[in-house]
Amino acid sequence: MSHVLVIGAGPVGATFALLAKAHGLDVSLIDARKGPSTETRTLALSHGSRILLEKAGVWGQALQPTEIHAIHTSHKGGFGRVMLRREDASVPALGYVVAYAALQDALDRALATNSIQTQFSVRVQTLNSGSASLTYADETGSHEASGDVIVMADGGANLDKLPSISLNEKDYGQSAMLAHLVADRDHRFTAYERFTPQGPAALLPAYTGTKDFSMVWVASHETIDELMTLDDDAVRARFQTHFGRRAGQFVALGQRRRYPLTLRQVSARVVDKVVMIGNAAQAMHPVAGQGFNLGLRDAATLANAFTQEADVQTALRAYAQAREPDISTGIGFTDLLASAFMGDSALLRWPRGAALAAVDMLPAVRRALADRMLFGAQR
């Protein structure tokens, strides 16, 4: 294999390129981004993702990672809770919270250090899966590019250029509101997942301070619409009532943004000489924070497949087969969590609470759950 062309130099595409280059592959990337990332959201990385980023050469203090030592899971209106601790998985941390822009900056610098050609401000015009070729436009006009294989890591932006691909979608009828939240006490490296009849709410210990959290509030489109019209103090008070005081008293809230929630899967991850990874292949509900970590495992598995198989089509088939269990169970796991705690029926409160209490009481089950969240279904 002489050349791999990657569409998308975001975290998943860039990680794939670095891992592939480390294996001796020739890789280049094109991206619609004009320059350094301006993304303001945070990312929750599992310990397994840290290992992959270490292999890619980008893990370090420049990311200012905040460790997650424990994850507290509960549900509103009923008994039972689960406390997962790093000791359950025998790891230094269950996960890490980093700024998206900081990770992207580290990846951009690593691409340059490794002399991996990356073109920005590029818009794909046409895509030919059979010949692994495309046309694109930049500031100088239209151009052609090709490789032995094309990796799509663009979040699905160019799926419409593959007419043989269809999308399987599930609209959750919900939106997520993200915000920065400050409490009156230290987070103690604990993340919180709170299931409510309207949808899950989560707090991640933020890298900006020991009392800071990144907040995710999931509810119906109408509820989030209403919340976005209120001022920060009003939303902070509403979230306090909604979430409770297990993380302390909330004293400040800001930097709100929102997006709709949809489960999306491509009908095939491989089409001829084109392969889709990360959010280009599957976009998931944010509950349990599995989507981005799943995408990084896509990147690592694909890079490894290209080094194990000399023939492109054999490598792509091996990749698709290897990823199926992890992706299927990951999507099933998050979809189940997103659905199982919806609604406020009294008949469901007891079995929900009993399930949480059972997990918390059984060390072997906690270890299995922690292992699944940290490393996926492929370990």
Side-chain angles (χ1 to χ4, degrees):
M1 186 181 303
S2 61
H3 181 60
V4 180
L5 176 59
V6 184
I7 304 174
V12 171
T15 299
F16 163 77
L18 290 166
L19 294 173
K21 180 66 179 289
H23 286 304
L25 296 175
D26 178 38
V27 191
S28 64
L29 303 97
I30 57 175
D31 195 281
R33 181 162 47 101
K34 294 181 179 180
S37 175
T38 58
E39 179 62 62
T40 59
R41 61 191 168 105
T42 57
L43 294 170
L45 306 176
S46 68
H47 182 70
S49 291
R50 170 187 171 161
I51 293 173
L52 296 180
L53 292 172
E54 285 176 335
K55 291 180 179 178
V58 296
W59 188 261
Q61 287 304 309
L63 297 180
Q64 294 183 292
T66 297
E67 295 183 349
I68 298 175
H69 294 174
I71 302 173
H72 182 288
T73 303
S74 62
H75 73 126
K76 191 174 183 178
F79 76 100
R81 64 101 168 109
V82 175
M83 179 68 86
L84 285 181
R85 294 180 173 85
R86 56 182 175 173
E87 293 81 7
D88 292 317
S90 301
V91 293
L94 293 171
Y96 307 84
V97 182
V98 302
Y100 185 108
L103 176 58
Q104 185 66 70
D105 180 64
L107 288 163
D108 288 347
R109 286 186 281 107
L111 291 173
T113 299
N114 286 274
S115 301
I116 298 176
Q117 181 183 359
T118 307
Q119 288 181 262
F120 294 107
S121 299
V122 169
R123 179 172 57 85
V124 176
Q125 296 173 308
T126 64
L127 182 59
N128 188 315
S129 61
S131 61
S133 61
L134 56 81
T135 61
Y136 67 90
D138 60 16
E139 295 176 350
T140 65
S142 295
H143 310 273
E144 296 181 357
S146 64
D148 294 295
V149 63
I150 292 176
V151 177
M152 294 181 66
D154 58 357
N158 292 289
L159 288 175
D160 60 342
K161 297 174 179 65
L162 290 172
S164 63
I165 286 291
S166 60
L167 295 177
N168 303 314
E169 295 184 297
K170 176 179 179 179
D171 185 352
Y172 287 104
Q174 297 174 320
S175 289
M177 182 171 67
L178 312 181
H180 181 82
L181 193 65
V182 182
D184 66 348
R185 69 185 191 213
D186 288 356
H187 53 60
R188 297 176 182 174
F189 304 104
T190 299
Y192 296 86
E193 186 94 53
R194 176 79 163 160
F195 292 100
T196 80
Q198 294 76 39
L203 292 177
L204 299 172
Y207 57 91
T208 49
T210 61
K211 298 180 180 180
D212 292 17
F213 290 96
S214 292
M215 181 196 86
V216 183
W217 187 350
V218 174
S220 68
H221 300 310
E222 294 76 16
T223 297
I224 299 299
D225 285 343
E226 178 200 358
L227 291 169
M228 292 299 291
T229 67
L230 304 178
D231 63 31
D232 288 343
D233 282 340
V235 173
R236 175 182 55 78
R238 287 273 293 269
F239 188 71
Q240 187 81 72
T241 300
H242 182 69
F243 190 83
R245 297 182 182 274
R246 58 196 43 77
Q249 179 75 28
F250 303 139
V251 297
L253 180 146
Q255 302 175 22
R256 281 181 286 159
R257 56 184 295 184
R258 61 162 302 169
Y259 65 96
L261 301 180
T262 303
L263 170 61
R264 188 190 75 236
Q265 285 181 273
V266 292
S267 55
R269 285 184 280 277
V270 175
V271 178
D272 299 324
K273 296 179 180 179
V274 174
V275 56
M276 286 138 276
I277 64 175
N279 280 355
Q282 65 272 326
M284 301 160 56
H285 197 286
V287 64
Q290 293 295 293
F292 179 68
N293 297 292
L294 196 71
L296 288 184
R297 295 198 293 273
D298 284 352
T301 304
L302 183 61
N304 185 62
F306 284 150
T307 62
Q308 297 295 319
E309 305 289 346
D311 177 70
V312 170
Q313 295 303 143
T314 303
L316 293 179
R317 284 194 298 270
Y319 164 77
Q321 183 176 6
R323 290 302 295 139
E324 180 60 34
D326 190 24
I327 292 172
S328 295
T329 57
I331 290 174
F333 177 64
T334 57
D335 189 47
L336 174 65
L337 288 179
S339 305
F341 288 86
M342 288 291 290
D344 198 24
S345 169
L347 295 175
L348 294 176
R349 291 176 193 161
W350 189 89
R352 290 169 178 167
L356 291 174
V359 171
D360 195 59
M361 292 172 60
L362 299 171
V365 176
R366 291 202 311 274
R367 284 195 298 269
L369 178 59
D371 196 66
R372 174 64 185 83
M373 294 180 66
L374 268 60
F375 301 103
Q378 60 186 16
R379 195 169 84 151

